[in-house]
Amino acid sequence: MKFLTSLSEYMPYMLDGLVVTIKLTIISAIVGFIIGVPLVLGTLYGGFFFKNISKLYITLIRGTPLLVQLFFIYYGLPAIGFNMTPYSAALLGFVLNSAAYQAEYMKGGFLAITTEQMEASFSIGLSKWQSIRYVIFPQAFRFSIPSLSNEIIYLIKYTSIAYIIQVEELFAQAKFFASDTYYYLEIFITIGIVYLLMIYIITMLTNILEKKLYIPGFDISHLK
């Protein structure tokens, strides 16, 4: 009962933290996708320069811990004159990280498309990039939806480490709450349930998106 009374007092701060968590997740997922598309296209269809730059970026980001990337952006870049707020630094770190992972996830979708479809596109007069845009990408995107949804789920959970660079997201607010009241067990169970609910909602939305984008007669299972 005392915990619920304390929770009601801290609820505005918890809601503020929840909003920060949701904003970090949604913006990182959308902007990461926008950057990830040219990265995967560069990796698979780009020329020598673009292909190697894309591969280098993806390897560099996937090969270093997200925490190191956040520290580099927030504590390292000011040394060369780039100062950012904790939120901006966290958002930049999540966007750059998510772009590399989304590119890699979509790569699997592109590679699942048979080369005969590209050849068939050429035979009806489409150029290389027209074939990718109108024939290959729509199929690869549908095939990548489950993997991309996993990336969003990872982002929801990864946002909890933003508190280390002083971003007051959901986990940070919960930690403040627990430190003030000593209700560690109760509060961490509560925010665990909140994270679980967010992941459940993302899973449901992904299932709806998959059904919305389903084309009758188009069964992507044969691409596996």
Side-chain angles (χ1 to χ4, degrees):
M1 190 62 185
K2 289 182 180 178
F3 168 70
L4 292 178
T5 303
S6 298
L7 182 61
S8 65
E9 294 174 2
Y10 280 85
M11 187 57 74
Y13 303 105
M14 299 294 289
L15 290 176
D16 287 344
L18 178 61
V19 170
V20 173
T21 292
I22 292 173
K23 284 169 64 179
L24 281 174
T25 301
I26 292 176
I27 297 174
S28 300
I30 293 174
V31 181
F33 178 78
I34 293 171
I35 298 174
V37 170
L39 280 175
V40 68
L41 293 179
T43 301
L44 297 174
Y45 307 106
F48 177 81
F49 178 77
F50 197 16
K51 180 175 289 190
N52 284 292
I53 287 293
S54 300
K55 286 182 177 178
L56 178 63
Y57 176 86
I58 293 171
T59 301
L60 184 65
I61 295 295
R62 295 182 69 222
T64 54
L66 176 58
L67 191 58
V68 172
Q69 296 161 20
L70 292 179
F71 272 42
F72 173 78
I73 293 171
Y74 186 61
Y75 294 111
L77 290 184
I80 54 174
F82 291 98
N83 294 295
M84 281 180 276
T85 64
Y87 178 80
S88 299
L91 185 59
L92 178 61
F94 289 132
V95 165
L96 296 178
N97 187 277
S98 183
Y101 278 93
Q102 291 196 57
E104 197 65 14
Y105 293 145
M106 285 187 280
K107 181 181 176 182
F110 276 91
L111 292 177
I113 309 299
T114 58
T115 55
E116 285 80 5
Q117 293 200 40
M118 180 71 88
E119 294 168 359
S121 302
F122 291 155
S123 70
I124 61 174
L126 295 179
S127 66
K128 175 182 175 182
W129 292 107
Q130 285 175 326
S131 301
I132 294 170
R133 178 181 177 184
Y134 296 112
V135 179
I136 306 299
F137 179 76
Q139 298 180 71
F141 176 70
R142 289 184 179 89
F143 196 52
S144 304
I145 287 175
S147 299
L148 293 176
S149 70
N150 284 336
E151 171 61 13
I152 298 174
I153 290 171
Y154 288 140
L155 275 172
I156 291 173
K157 293 186 285 188
Y158 288 159
T159 55
S160 63
I161 68 171
Y163 90 95
I164 292 179
I165 59 170
Q166 304 170 36
V167 178
E168 296 183 353
E169 41 67 60
L170 179 60
F171 183 77
Q173 296 291 1
K175 195 168 180 294
F176 296 149
F177 178 18
S179 299
D180 287 346
T181 62
Y182 298 103
Y183 288 120
Y184 287 99
L185 178 64
E186 295 87 344
I187 188 58
F188 288 127
I189 288 176
T190 302
I191 66 162
I193 293 171
V194 174
Y195 279 111
L196 195 61
L197 284 174
M198 286 193 287
I199 290 169
Y200 176 75
I201 291 171
I202 290 298
T203 303
M204 294 298 292
L205 291 176
T206 303
N207 291 337
I208 293 172
L209 181 63
E210 278 189 275
K211 290 178 182 176
K212 279 278 186 185
L213 294 179
Y214 176 74
I215 298 175
F218 178 77
D219 183 2
I220 61 175
S221 63
H222 72 285
L223 299 174
K224 296 179 181 178

